[in-house]
Amino acid sequence: MARKIVQSNAVAIRRVIGPASIVGHGLHKRRIDIERRLQVARHALRAAPENAREATWYLKAAEQGHADAQNALGLCLDEGTGVDRDPAEAAKWYRKAAEQGLPAAQNNLGLSCRSGEGVPQDFEEAVRWFRLAAEQGYPDAEYSLGVAYARGEGLPRDGARAIKWLHKAAEQGEVNAMHRLARELHKKAGRKAEFREAARWYRAAAEQEHVEAMFYLAQLHSDGTGVAENFVEAAAWLHKAADHGH
C-alpha cells in the first residue's frame, strides 16, 4: 500500500476531519460526513510541500478498525489525494468500513463496484451496497440507488422507484438528485402538475449552481412548460449556464 503522505497533508486532513473521527472518540454519538469535510482539506493537500513521511496517526486509526478513518483513507487512495492513487487499495478500505455499517463507505464501495475501478465491475453488488446505505438515510446512496433504478443497472428498471429514492435524496439537499429527479419527472410528465414539479426541482438544482439544471430551466421558461413563459428569465438562465461552461 502507498503509505507515504506529505506531513502537512496529514495535518490538513486532521484539522478538517477533527481528532474525534481519527482516534475514535464519540464515533457512535457523532458520525462525521468525511467526504464533505475532505472537500475543504483537499485545497491544503494539493498545496503541500513534497517532503513526505508516513502519516502513522492516520494509518493506525484505519488499521485499528475505526470506520471513519478507513473510509477517509479509501477516499485519499481513490483520488490520489496526498498518496499515490490506488483504486484497489481504496476499495479494500471502503469494504472494511462498509462492513462495519458506515453508510458513506457503503456508498463509496458501491460506486467502485459500479465503475469497476479497483474491483470487478458488478452492478448487482453495487446496488446491494447502495441499498444498505440508502436505508440508513444517506442521501448520496439514495441518489445512487435512484440512478440504478432509472438505468436498470443491477436490478430491473423501475421509474417509480427511481423517483422515490431520488426524491428522498433531493429532500436532503443532494443537488445531483434534484436534477436527476427533475429529469425523470420531466420525461414522464403528462399533466401540468407534473411539469410544475419538474420545474420546481430544476430550479432548486439551478439555484445551487447545477449547470444542466440551469439549461433545462431556461428551456421550460422559453416553452412555458410547468412555469410561466418568460423569455427574459429563460435568457438569464441560459447566460448563467454559459458562464459556467455549458
Side-chain angles (χ1 to χ4, degrees):
M1 182 183 72
R3 298 171 72 90
K4 293 286 182 98
I5 186 167
V6 177
Q7 179 178 355
S8 57
N9 289 359
V11 173
I13 296 175
R14 191 170 190 175
R15 283 175 180 166
V16 175
I17 296 173
S21 66
I22 296 303
V23 300
H25 297 309
L27 283 174
H28 298 296
K29 295 180 181 176
R30 184 168 62 92
R31 179 147 293 181
I32 295 174
D33 188 346
I34 296 293
E35 294 104 316
R36 301 192 195 285
R37 290 174 182 256
L38 277 175
Q39 293 291 333
V40 181
R42 288 188 187 108
H43 296 290
L45 291 168
R46 289 173 182 146
E50 291 301 320
N51 56 319
R53 72 170 188 179
E54 283 191 349
T56 54
W57 63 267
Y58 191 62
L59 293 171
K60 280 181 180 177
E63 288 165 354
Q64 289 170 7
H66 297 302
D68 286 307
Q70 290 169 343
N71 184 54
L73 181 57
L75 281 163
C76 289
L77 288 159
D78 209 353
E79 299 187 357
T81 305
V83 292
D84 293 335
R85 187 168 187 268
D86 189 337
E89 191 71 13
K92 183 190 89 173
W93 287 107
Y94 288 151
R95 187 176 298 278
K96 287 179 181 290
E99 288 173 349
Q100 293 191 64
L102 188 70
Q106 291 170 339
N107 184 63
N108 287 335
L109 182 56
L111 292 172
S112 295
C113 292
R114 186 173 74 185
S115 68
E117 280 214 326
V119 293
Q121 188 174 53
D122 187 333
F123 292 122
E124 290 184 5
E125 183 72 355
V127 165
R128 184 173 80 84
W129 289 111
F130 292 151
R131 191 179 301 281
L132 285 169
E135 288 174 349
Q136 294 186 65
Y138 189 68
D140 291 24
E142 292 169 342
Y143 166 66
S144 298
L145 186 56
V147 169
Y149 272 116
R151 293 176 176 170
E153 289 182 346
L155 73 186
R157 182 173 293 172
D158 189 324
R161 285 191 171 91
I163 287 171
K164 168 193 163 181
W165 286 107
L166 291 169
H167 195 273
K168 285 178 180 286
E171 288 286 1
Q172 292 194 68
E174 215 298 324
V175 66
N176 291 314
M178 293 175 185
H179 174 251
R180 186 64 189 241
L181 174 60
R183 293 288 296 133
E184 294 301 315
L185 291 168
H186 195 174
K187 284 191 297 186
K188 70 180 283 293
R191 295 178 293 114
K192 286 184 179 180
E194 292 168 334
F195 283 114
R196 283 197 298 270
E197 183 71 356
R200 180 170 80 87
W201 286 112
Y202 279 135
R203 182 174 296 278
E207 288 174 349
Q208 291 194 45
E209 308 299 311
H210 194 290
V211 180
E212 286 291 324
M214 295 175 191
F215 176 75
Y216 283 110
L217 183 59
Q219 280 194 331
L220 293 187
H221 274 295
S222 179
D223 299 338
T225 305
V227 291
E229 185 180 275
N230 186 327
F231 295 115
V232 173
E233 185 85 355
W237 282 113
L238 280 175
H239 281 303
K240 193 165 186 178
D243 287 343
H244 284 74
H246 191 280

